[in-house]
Amino acid sequence: MPDMKFKISAVSDNPARVTVNARNFTMIVDEPPQLGGTDQGANPVEYVLAALAGCLNVVGHLVAKEMGIEIRNLSIEISGVLDPAKFIGKPTEERAGYKKIDVVMKVDTDADEDTLKKWLETIEQRCPVSDNLQNPTPVNITVEASR
């Protein structure tokens, strides 16, 4: 299968809020007031967690179908811990991103424990967002100034 390319465009609305367009969808990314925003949307690190939940949901259902597992209900709770020091410009040895992310997938199914273990292992191997969070991905950032 050939590679697929995904693309977004974003325009800064103010120093804390950006409007993002992905295909024919618009998302507002903002910060809460304590971080200088107007709280009109989830913040960037919350969108990372949301992206992980979305991916785990899609891959979880896909893998369940392939394995013949009936999922009556699936809920996903994700939390992440990060030190905001680097983000706000304070000297620190900590990284800017999440130190850890915890995911709890609650599934209503008749599948036994061994089957659910295999299901989860397969999801972890195939979820692109989880892969991007767990492995280095080259990011090339350039700037084009207009004068």
Side-chain angles (χ1 to χ4, degrees):
M1 178 177 243
D3 287 351
M4 295 178 69
K5 184 174 187 174
F6 294 89
K7 183 177 178 179
I8 64 96
S9 62
V11 176
S12 175
D13 300 318
N14 66 42
R17 187 180 68 234
V18 64
T19 299
V20 179
N21 292 300
R23 293 182 288 129
N24 50 337
F25 301 99
T26 300
M27 298 173 276
I28 302 297
V29 181
D30 198 0
E31 293 289 348
Q34 65 268 31
L35 293 175
T38 56
D39 212 20
Q40 294 181 351
N43 72 19
V45 294
E46 290 167 329
Y47 271 109
V48 168
L49 300 182
L52 178 57
C55 194
L56 291 171
N57 177 65
V58 169
V59 177
H61 282 280
L62 179 68
V63 171
K65 184 176 180 182
E66 292 170 359
M67 294 177 68
I69 299 171
E70 179 189 359
I71 293 180
R72 292 183 291 268
N73 189 32
L74 175 63
S75 64
I76 303 165
E77 296 177 6
I78 304 178
S79 61
V81 175
L82 61 77
D83 178 351
K86 189 171 277 187
F87 165 72
I88 61 174
K90 292 190 176 182
T92 180
E93 294 300 314
E94 293 283 349
R95 56 184 291 204
Y98 283 115
K99 293 180 182 185
K100 72 173 191 159
I101 296 173
D102 294 311
V103 179
V104 177
M105 296 179 68
K106 297 179 180 180
V107 61
D108 180 5
T109 181
D110 289 333
D112 63 35
E113 292 299 316
D114 287 340
T115 303
L116 285 177
K117 183 178 176 186
K118 176 70 173 156
W119 175 70
L120 183 56
E121 288 171 359
T122 306
I123 293 167
E124 289 178 302
Q125 292 169 1
R126 292 174 50 181
C127 174
V129 175
S130 178
D131 178 82
N132 274 286
L133 290 169
Q134 295 184 60
N135 298 291
T137 301
V139 177
N140 180 31
I141 301 174
T142 60
V143 64
E144 296 178 3
S146 58
R147 295 185 168 79

